[in-house]
């Protein structure tokens, strides 16, 4: 069912609480990558340009000690937001209390306020992450309307998303949330065929749910990266010293049976004697020799994967094809990324930090239909799970 969107709300003169995802990489107060802040701008601008007061809540990192609070204040993010918007942004160094309430009371229409990192509340009994009922109710009392634009935390039931929503008559999705639901939702529920999924990364256990959910929906499921070798072991191939999850071999066998020829595994691999860029390495087909570990897919696999992608109308990619952080084992990931960028007639969707980083490094990010801002959340969506943050948004 279609969700209520921020543009369905009359925000004029209203105090609009917006749960954004400002969980950016930050070190010594310097923001490493502001993609998430930029991605939240359309919703914030919509609210202030239509005469609302934007009150922003976000978490930043994990707060376990008093010391974490010093490193993970949202102040630098609020300052950066002010630069991006070209107008003052009020930062309140508190998550509750008189200072926050006074600052909100003083807001004029079109003003923007950022409150302190919602996870500061975690030091006192995990109130934010544990969705403490009193906290959700309190935050909800600070505004007239609630907009959830934080897809990155949609797979979690926290006070700042589900807690606030459960104390509001209506909750709307922000434009970023709307976009994520549209592209991931279309891929999972209504894909244009051929639909090809490319799954990589270290662990089968992280992606098992996605593979199982996509077997009946996808036309091909390409598997690369460290998780490949658990499938190799399930097929009775030797894997040398490659990464393997022995307790998942039976599950891999089941997937091989269920998926049949939908499952496309690498046919050759770059193997090395050690987990080291400079270790002796070579490309071998099939069995991985004793004393070697597979760290990337080989040329024949790259060709096979490119061939599999030809003519695809929907492609979802999550996870690298090898240890792409090391230059000698990066080719598989980059070639797959390039092939994705060349698919002009397909909806291409990337999830997960590593695949996103590869797309950015390749300079093809603008050729991708949608790069998800949520790693864990996008995986759970692809698994077909109901995400509590999305479930708590009102239907139209
Ligand atoms: P994940 O977080 O599960 O998406 O896994 C990403 C990590 O998997 C990256 O840091 C890669 O270096 C690593 N990886 C990919 N392929 C392999 C491989 N063949 N052997 C060991 N690690 C791998």
């Amino acid at each position: 069912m279609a969700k209520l969107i921020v543009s369905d709300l009359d925000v004029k003169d209203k105090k609009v609480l917006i749960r954004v995802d400002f969980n950016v990489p930050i070190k010594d107060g310097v923001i490493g990558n502001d993609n998430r802040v930029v991605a939240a701008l359309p919703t914030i601008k919509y609210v202030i340009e239509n005469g609302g007061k934007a009150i922003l809540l976000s978490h930043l990192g994990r707060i376990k000690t008093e010391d974490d609070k010093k490193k993970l204040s949202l102040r630098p993010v609020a300052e950066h937001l002010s630069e991006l918007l070209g107008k003052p942004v009020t930062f309140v160094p508190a998550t509750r209390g008189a200072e926050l309430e006074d600052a909100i009371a003083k807001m004029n229409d079109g003003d923007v306020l950022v409150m302190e990192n919602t996870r500061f509340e975690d030091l006192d009994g995990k109130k934010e992450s544990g969705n403490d009922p009193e906290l959700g109710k309190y935050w909800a009392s600070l505004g007239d309307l609630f907009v959830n634009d934080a897809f990155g935390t949609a797979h979690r039931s926290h006070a700042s998303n589900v807690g606030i929503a459960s104390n509001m008559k209506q909750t709307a999705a922000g434009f970023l949330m709307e976009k994520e639901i549209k592209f991931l939702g279309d891929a999972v529920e209504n894909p244009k065929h051929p639909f090809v999924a490319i799954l990589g990364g270290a662990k089968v256990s992280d992606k098992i749910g996605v593979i199982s959910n996509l077997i009946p929906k996808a036309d091909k499921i390409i598997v690369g990266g460290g998780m490949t070798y658990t499938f190799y072991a399930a097929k009775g191939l030797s894997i040398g010293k490659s990464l393997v999850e022995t307790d998942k071999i039976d599950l891999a066998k089941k997937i091989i049976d269920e998926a049949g020829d939908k499952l496309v595994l690498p046919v050759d691999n770059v193997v090395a004697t050690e987990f080291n860029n400079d270790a002796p390495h070579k490309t071998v087909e099939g069995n991985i020799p004793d004393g070697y570990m597979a760290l990337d897919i080989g040329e024949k696999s790259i060709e096979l994967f490119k061939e599999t992608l030809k003519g695809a109308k929907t492609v979802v990619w999550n996870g690298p094809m090898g240890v792409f952080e090391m230059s000698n084992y990066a080719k598989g990931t980059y070639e797959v990324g390039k092939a994705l960028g060349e698919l002009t007639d397909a909806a291409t969707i990337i999830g997960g930090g590593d695949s996103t980083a590869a797309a950015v490094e390749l300079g093809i990010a603008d050729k991708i239909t949608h790069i998800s801002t949520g790693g864990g959340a996008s995986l759970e969506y692809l698994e077909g799970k109901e995400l509590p943050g999305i479930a708590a948004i009102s239907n139209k």
Side-chain angles (χ1 to χ4, degrees):
M1 204 181 299
K3 293 286 182 187
L4 194 71
I5 309 300
V6 57
S7 48
D8 296 323
L9 303 176
D10 180 8
V11 297
K12 186 149 178 44
D13 300 328
K14 298 280 177 19
K15 289 177 280 181
V16 187
L17 299 168
I18 313 176
R19 175 52 160 105
V20 287
D21 179 4
F22 283 171
N23 187 29
V24 293
I26 198 160
K27 205 168 176 241
D28 301 328
V30 180
I31 299 167
N33 174 336
D34 70 350
N35 280 355
R36 285 179 161 169
V37 186
V38 172
L41 292 176
T43 299
I44 300 168
K45 282 187 180 164
Y46 178 86
V47 168
I48 58 177
E49 282 166 8
N50 286 282
K53 300 165 184 153
I55 304 161
L56 312 187
L57 302 95
S58 176
H59 79 281
L60 176 60
R62 289 210 176 117
I63 305 292
K64 292 191 180 130
T65 62
E66 278 295 331
D67 211 39
D68 290 338
K69 282 181 159 183
K70 288 185 204 124
K71 295 182 214 139
L72 293 168
S73 167
L74 272 179
R75 185 186 291 276
V77 185
E79 284 166 3
H80 186 60
L81 175 65
S82 167
E83 283 166 30
L84 291 173
L85 288 171
K87 62 177 285 164
V89 167
T90 304
F91 175 72
V92 180
T95 49
R96 61 168 88 210
E99 186 182 3
L100 177 62
E101 290 157 27
D102 290 350
I104 292 173
K106 284 196 194 113
M107 287 175 84
N108 293 312
D109 291 350
D111 281 356
V112 182
L113 179 149
V114 175
M115 73 167 78
E116 187 53 282
N117 184 353
T118 54
R119 288 208 183 147
F120 278 26
E121 292 280 346
D122 277 356
L123 264 193
D124 180 19
K126 290 229 163 240
K127 290 206 162 87
E128 155 73 325
S129 301
N131 190 9
D132 177 76
E134 182 272 328
L135 182 58
K137 196 170 172 190
Y138 170 70
W139 278 337
S141 75
L142 300 174
D144 305 310
L145 298 168
F146 182 45
V147 176
N148 187 355
D149 208 19
F151 178 74
T153 40
H155 58 317
R156 304 275 182 245
S157 191
H158 290 174
S160 63
N161 59 354
V162 173
I164 299 179
S166 57
N167 286 285
M168 285 286 186
K169 253 216 294 269
Q170 280 190 317
T171 295
F175 295 123
L176 174 62
M177 182 73 92
E178 180 191 27
K179 212 166 126 204
E180 296 274 7
I181 296 173
K182 176 177 166 25
F183 287 111
L184 289 166
D186 277 356
V188 179
E189 284 134 35
N190 199 15
K192 280 202 180 139
H193 292 275
F195 171 24
V196 182
I198 312 167
L199 299 168
K203 286 163 122 195
V204 188
S205 44
D206 288 347
K207 309 271 158 74
I208 277 284
V210 178
I211 300 177
S212 303
N213 188 42
L214 294 184
I215 290 173
K217 302 170 198 275
D219 299 287
K220 294 284 177 191
I221 299 174
I222 294 173
V223 166
M227 64 194 230
T228 303
Y229 312 101
T230 301
F231 285 96
Y232 267 35
K235 284 169 67 109
L237 289 164
S238 39
I239 56 164
K241 302 195 282 185
S242 305
L243 209 60
V244 64
E245 285 170 88
T246 40
D247 59 333
K248 294 289 177 301
I249 293 176
D250 282 342
L251 207 54
K253 277 187 191 150
K254 214 173 128 232
I255 286 178
I256 291 169
D257 286 345
E258 270 174 38
D261 61 5
K262 285 188 178 182
L263 187 67
V264 183
L265 292 169
V267 289
D268 62 345
N269 296 279
V270 179
V271 300
T273 52
E274 276 176 70
F275 192 80
N276 184 328
N277 194 41
D278 303 319
H281 57 273
K282 59 184 180 182
T283 301
V284 296
E285 282 183 41
N287 288 312
I288 315 293
D290 282 350
Y292 282 87
M293 59 182 78
L295 296 179
D296 194 11
I297 58 171
E299 294 287 345
K300 289 198 171 146
S301 308
I302 292 172
E303 282 319 305
L304 171 67
F305 290 2
K306 281 187 180 165
E307 198 55 40
T308 308
L309 283 168
K310 259 191 200 146
K313 290 279 185 287
T314 308
V315 183
V316 170
W317 179 29
N318 191 309
M321 299 289 101
V323 184
F324 79 113
E325 299 93 333
M326 299 184 193
S327 59
N328 284 328
Y329 318 117
K331 190 167 182 189
T333 302
Y334 287 149
E335 289 296 322
V336 164
K338 264 198 245 165
L340 218 64
E342 282 161 15
L343 286 173
T344 47
D345 192 25
T348 48
I349 295 137
I350 294 183
D354 291 326
S355 317
T356 303
V360 171
E361 267 174 58
L362 286 166
I364 55 141
D366 60 338
K367 297 204 177 86
I368 302 299
T369 315
H370 180 63
I371 297 188
S372 178
T373 52
S378 69
L379 274 183
E380 290 201 16
Y381 207 119
L382 295 174
E383 282 176 41
K385 285 190 187 157
E386 178 173 75
L387 276 55
I390 296 178
I393 296 170
S394 313
N395 293 318
K396 277 207 199 206

